[in-house]
Amino acid sequence: MSVESTPDDAPCPGPVLPGENLVRWHPAAQYEDIRFDRCEEGIARIAINRPAKRNAFRPRTVVELYDAFSRVRDDPRVGAVLFTGVGPAADGGYAFCAGGDQSVRGDGGYLDESGLPRLNVLDLQRQIRSLPKVVIALVAGYAIGGGQVLHLLCDLSLAAENAVFGQTGPRVGSFDGGFGAGYLARLVGQRKAREIWFLCRRYNAEEALAMGLVNAVVPLQKLEAEGVRWAREVMQHSPTAIRCLKASFNAETDGMAGIQELAGQATHLFYRTAEGQEGRNAFLEKRDPDFSDAPWLP
């Protein structure tokens, strides 16, 4: 994958979604299948850019998304990410993501340029889940199959009035037995989750709101602007509190991996204390540590 960095003042090639722009976006890097933009307020925007395919992902798409989210993780200026899909397509249709591109699906997964079958979207799922920043899904049009799972894993979700949600796995010989089933059941309940997977029905934005699948429904023309407003509210709050809260929510549902994530955030905090630094300094200075200033609090 070849990724080109862009200057901070470079103009964006065009809108991602229709409607009002509350911020001035600048491209953060150049990709083939996605758009990755930033603004000066510490908000990033990552968008799948395959509208002719209803923003279905292929292995290259996932590799590029993983790279963009990795850049977000490592950028201390960014605290919130808007995750969406470019639209409309030439036929006027919109999609957040229609799941895996079935035209490149082989016998063992989705075929990359070398012909190797991959399911690398599972790596992307875990990355979004553990990203110590707030990821806000902006769903215009279809969030179907693997796209519905990607939306599910975002921290917050805003749906346009034209949003459509649903699963297709049992229709196309596929399923997601990980987050796509287990976390969905935590979010909407066992009965509704089984209905979604077993019947493969479509659900509109208001139905998604009623079952707790999204946080709010807004007109399409206001979707990105509303996402920016939510991101701005996030950016007003403590970065450390937000990252620890996200890890805490994940710890309740993600088993040992979730506990590891929360423990990692606690370790990060401990390293910044005088007590933690005394242990490091004593080791480097080849002396016994002195923790006498650290109280044994109740």
Side-chain angles (χ1 to χ4, degrees):
M1 180 187 64
S2 176
V3 179
E4 297 181 4
S5 296
T6 58
D8 289 341
D9 58 350
C12 277
V16 167
L17 292 170
E20 182 183 9
N21 257 329
L22 295 186
V23 298
R24 185 180 180 188
W25 296 107
H26 303 284
Q30 297 290 340
Y31 297 93
E32 181 176 340
D33 281 10
I34 72 169
R35 289 268 303 271
F36 176 32
D37 307 311
R38 276 195 307 244
C39 73
E40 294 179 355
E41 298 183 33
I43 304 168
R45 179 179 65 182
I46 297 175
I48 302 175
N49 190 17
R50 306 185 78 215
K53 287 282 191 176
R54 295 292 187 260
N55 290 322
F57 55 78
R58 56 179 177 167
R60 170 180 288 274
T61 317
V62 178
V63 168
E64 293 181 354
L65 287 169
Y66 195 94
D67 184 78
F69 275 106
S70 295
R71 290 170 182 246
V72 165
R73 185 185 188 103
D74 293 340
D75 190 339
R77 299 169 296 176
V78 175
V81 188
L82 306 182
F83 184 27
T84 190
V86 174
D91 63 1
Y94 284 88
F96 169 77
C97 175
D101 185 347
Q102 298 301 301
S103 69
V104 298
R105 180 178 159 191
D107 291 341
Y110 295 87
L111 303 179
D112 64 14
E113 288 90 340
S114 69
L116 184 67
R118 293 183 178 274
L119 284 172
N120 55 344
V121 74
L122 303 181
D123 300 327
L124 177 64
Q125 290 177 3
R126 291 191 296 271
Q127 183 190 42
I128 293 172
R129 186 80 171 151
S130 64
L131 191 77
K133 320 283 175 91
V134 176
V135 184
I136 304 172
L138 304 182
V139 182
Y142 292 106
I144 299 293
Q148 195 273 332
V149 177
L150 288 178
H151 139 268
L152 175 73
L153 291 172
C154 294
D155 301 296
L156 301 167
S157 180
L158 305 178
E161 291 171 334
N162 69 344
V164 179
F165 301 86
Q167 277 304 332
T168 59
R171 285 182 176 174
V172 297
S174 180
F175 63 93
D176 185 329
F179 288 118
Y183 184 59
L184 179 66
R186 292 291 188 104
L187 204 62
V188 303
Q190 280 279 344
R191 294 293 190 194
K192 199 66 180 180
R194 291 172 192 240
E195 173 191 315
I196 290 169
W197 273 103
F198 295 168
L199 303 185
C200 295
R201 291 177 176 174
R202 304 287 175 88
Y203 304 87
N204 63 33
E206 291 297 335
E207 291 171 321
L209 180 64
M211 72 174 81
L213 199 57
V214 300
N215 295 93
V217 177
V218 299
L220 173 61
Q221 296 290 329
K222 297 183 178 180
L223 180 60
E224 183 173 303
E226 188 66 11
V228 169
R229 292 188 185 97
W230 283 53
R232 281 174 171 170
E233 289 191 46
V234 169
M235 295 297 295
Q236 295 173 10
H237 301 142
S238 159
T240 302
I242 293 292
R243 66 187 293 148
C244 288
L245 280 168
K246 180 165 180 174
S248 298
F249 285 125
N250 291 352
E252 195 275 329
T253 58
D254 293 1
M256 189 58 70
I259 294 172
Q260 179 200 43
E261 183 181 328
L262 179 58
Q265 301 302 339
T267 304
H268 176 77
L269 283 174
F270 181 60
Y271 281 169
R272 297 164 65 183
T273 67
E275 184 179 354
Q277 292 163 14
E278 166 61 15
R280 176 203 61 195
N281 294 343
F283 176 82
L284 295 175
E285 296 165 7
K286 296 181 172 55
R287 60 175 174 82
D288 291 333
D290 179 5
F291 297 121
S292 59
D293 289 338
W296 295 87
L297 296 175

